[in-house]
Amino acid sequence: HNYRRFQGTYLSNSEFWKSRSFEWQRSGSLETPTSDPRCNGVTFRRPTVHCAVMGRLPEEIALARSIMQTWGRDCDSIQMYVAQVPMGATTWQDRRSGIQVMNLARRYPVLQRHPDQVGHFSGDLQFMKSKFQTTNLIRKTLAMWHWVGTQGPPSDFVCRLDPDTLFLVDRFRTYLHRHCLRKNSMVYLGQVLHYMQRHVGAFPDGGSGICL
């Protein structure tokens, strides 16, 4: 509920971190707009979609290659977000898969203490949880949203996707058009979790992918 507190907690090692608001960069009109009579005269154009793939390299290189050979080509922009230590470049194009990669650990020092796990974990899960070593997913996801919202490529919609997800980008664009959704629509598209409703209420868990 309080993104400034979350940003200070999860995205910074320093008390001198300056909180910045999550302001989205929006692309201008790229095509002649058309009018859908079902949308009360609202004009539409082809929405731009940034596909943000949360992954690990080299563990998921085969998945990245499959993405670039299939649905990844339909994204207006696509990038795999990792948190690798030791760190190399901030961004690069992976030669084995062709996907653009962004190492969030270069920009968010907290991920240097919580990097991606190496290899396939099969240890004592409860012990790892007690040591807060099971995952960096919360910090990594918040860092990704912050980066995309402030520095990422201009786009109308951003979709956070797991690397083993099949995403039909053109069908998503069709859905947006049929439901009169535009870049300034305050909308969350994804899974809503209900099984803990008695304790915390229904909340947007996300699942294998969400679009904002």
Side-chain angles (χ1 to χ4, degrees):
H1 296 284
N2 187 329
Y3 73 86
R4 292 184 184 277
R5 184 176 64 188
F6 266 78
Q7 183 173 317
T9 301
Y10 290 108
L11 300 184
S12 175
N13 287 324
S14 170
E15 61 182 347
F16 302 109
W17 177 274
K18 301 298 182 182
S19 296
R20 296 159 60 186
S21 62
F22 291 93
E23 295 180 355
W24 292 97
Q25 302 178 34
R26 300 299 188 182
S27 58
S29 179
L30 302 178
E31 299 177 3
T32 302
T34 59
S35 179
D36 188 329
R38 295 170 298 178
C39 299
N40 299 320
V42 176
T43 56
F44 286 89
R45 60 175 176 80
R46 178 182 179 277
T48 55
V49 179
H50 175 65
C51 298
V53 181
M54 306 296 288
R56 299 182 300 149
L57 292 177
E59 288 83 359
E60 294 171 331
I61 189 65
L63 295 174
R65 186 182 299 114
S66 297
I67 289 172
M68 296 305 294
Q69 291 174 349
T70 54
W71 58 265
R73 295 176 291 186
D74 295 328
C75 302
D76 294 285
S77 59
I78 183 171
Q79 201 158 32
M80 176 174 274
Y81 294 86
V82 301
Q84 290 184 345
V85 175
M87 298 176 294
T90 302
T91 60
W92 69 94
Q93 184 173 18
D94 184 76
R95 295 180 179 179
R96 296 161 294 182
S97 63
I99 198 169
Q100 289 288 330
V101 182
M102 164 69 186
N103 187 6
L104 293 167
R106 293 278 296 182
R107 297 291 182 177
Y108 301 93
V110 67
L111 290 175
Q112 297 173 23
R113 296 187 291 113
H114 300 275
D116 293 339
Q117 293 178 1
V118 177
H120 300 283
F121 174 73
S122 60
D124 186 338
L125 185 60
Q126 292 302 320
F127 174 79
M128 296 293 285
K129 283 184 176 181
S130 68
K131 299 297 182 181
F132 300 99
Q133 296 175 351
T134 52
T135 180
N136 63 354
L137 186 58
I138 292 176
R139 294 175 176 87
K140 184 176 175 180
T141 301
L142 286 171
M144 183 278 293
W145 284 117
H146 186 267
W147 172 260
V148 171
T150 58
Q151 305 293 331
S155 56
D156 296 322
F157 289 86
V158 179
C159 296
R160 193 277 300 160
L161 303 155
D162 289 346
D164 58 352
T165 298
L166 174 62
F167 181 46
L168 303 178
V169 188
D170 283 335
R171 185 172 293 183
F172 173 68
R173 293 191 181 99
T174 300
Y175 180 90
L176 297 175
H177 182 77
R178 290 183 176 178
H179 292 270
C180 309
L181 298 175
R182 298 172 295 166
K183 62 182 182 181
N184 59 349
S185 299
M186 298 296 290
V187 62
Y188 159 88
L189 299 171
Q191 175 181 339
V192 177
L193 196 62
H194 293 279
Y195 81 91
M196 294 182 64
Q197 190 164 358
R198 289 181 54 190
H199 306 286
V200 297
F203 65 93
D205 172 64
S208 58
I210 66 171
C211 295
L212 299 176

